[in-house]
Amino acid sequence: MVIKNVSLEIVCGVTSKIPQGNLPEVAFAGKSNVGKSSLINGLMNRKSLARTSSQPGKTQTINYYNINGEMYFVDLPGYGYATANEKVKAQWGKMIEDYLHQSKQLRTVFLLVDIRHAPSENDRIMYDWILRQGYQPVIIATKLDKIKRSQVSKQVKLICDTLKTQKDTVVIPYSALSKQGREEIYELLDGILMKG
């Protein structure tokens, strides 16, 4: 996949209706601070189109990025941010659930987890939600550059065991620094575009 044109086209807030477009969509879900904006920027070859923040919980909207006029990257609000109040957390949860439930064009959900740690309770809930909506999430294990190469397979196994993933679940370790893992994600995206 060669990404030439990118634009932030639609921003959905808590009260917005989920738009029903005609382009395939891939969604990115993950807890605050897992490196979601860095991954999206890395895939789009842009430094800062998706807002990265040292302050977790910054994405409080669903952001639709139009990629080459062929598909949308859908950036879902980061979940599990500790200092967000309960009302805000409930709203984020509802937005994510509404999107997974209502989008007619969603093809794949990328669930981002930090490769350094076992997935959290929130990650497990999110994984189950995605399965319940009929999708088989692709796990992106972020922050790959923060661990030794010898630890990778052990950490991937820990992620799979904690989430109780199904046998054929795809797990892609990803580094925002070296972009390791990006080509594998592009291949998946190409496959989605071929199916239409």
Side-chain angles (χ1 to χ4, degrees):
M1 175 172 229
V2 180
I3 294 182
K4 295 188 177 124
N5 301 306
V6 176
S7 62
L8 173 57
E9 199 166 282
I10 305 164
V11 176
C12 267
V14 173
T15 54
S16 313
K17 256 189 138 60
I18 300 295
Q20 299 299 346
N22 52 9
L23 294 179
E25 296 169 9
V26 294
F28 296 82
K31 66 173 184 246
S32 304
N33 223 6
V34 74
K36 197 153 47 70
S37 301
S38 301
L39 169 69
I40 293 170
N41 285 325
L43 291 174
M44 298 190 301
N45 280 320
R46 299 293 187 277
K47 277 227 155 48
S48 57
L49 191 59
R51 288 192 294 275
T52 53
S53 170
S54 55
Q55 194 185 351
K58 203 75 178 157
T59 309
Q60 298 178 16
T61 50
I62 299 178
N63 297 332
Y64 288 71
Y65 295 93
N66 185 319
I67 308 297
N68 295 340
E70 295 177 314
M71 73 170 9
Y72 284 110
F73 285 0
V74 181
D75 184 8
L76 299 174
Y79 55 81
Y81 181 46
T83 65
N85 70 36
E86 291 307 315
K87 184 172 173 237
V88 169
K89 284 185 197 171
Q91 285 175 332
W92 290 347
K94 184 162 177 7
M95 279 169 80
I96 295 169
E97 201 162 22
D98 284 351
Y99 172 75
L100 293 176
H101 195 59
Q102 293 173 22
S103 171
K104 302 273 190 292
Q105 298 297 333
L106 180 58
R107 301 291 183 266
T108 295
V109 182
F110 292 106
L111 177 60
L112 281 65
V113 295
D114 187 329
I115 199 166
R116 297 172 297 176
H117 313 293
S120 67
E121 180 62 21
N122 282 319
D123 292 326
R124 292 203 296 275
I125 291 168
M126 191 71 210
Y127 181 75
D128 289 341
W129 258 8
I130 296 166
L131 286 180
R132 275 210 305 276
Q133 299 300 341
Y135 298 99
Q136 171 62 281
V138 173
I139 311 292
I140 309 286
T142 61
K143 317 223 181 207
L144 177 61
D145 41 274
K146 307 265 200 245
I147 65 169
K148 293 193 180 86
R149 191 170 289 177
S150 59
Q151 295 175 298
V152 173
S153 57
K154 180 172 117 282
Q155 292 306 108
V156 166
K157 185 178 182 315
L158 176 66
I159 289 167
C160 291
D161 290 350
T162 307
L163 293 176
K164 300 185 173 67
T165 56
Q166 290 157 340
K167 271 210 167 55
D168 50 355
T169 299
V170 176
V171 180
I172 301 175
Y174 177 80
S175 162
L177 289 182
S178 70
K179 305 293 183 280
Q180 188 180 330
R182 183 164 69 172
E183 290 309 315
E184 289 160 86
I185 298 169
Y186 282 159
E187 274 176 39
L188 289 176
L189 295 172
D190 283 334
I192 290 163
L193 282 175
M194 279 168 69
K195 287 182 194 150

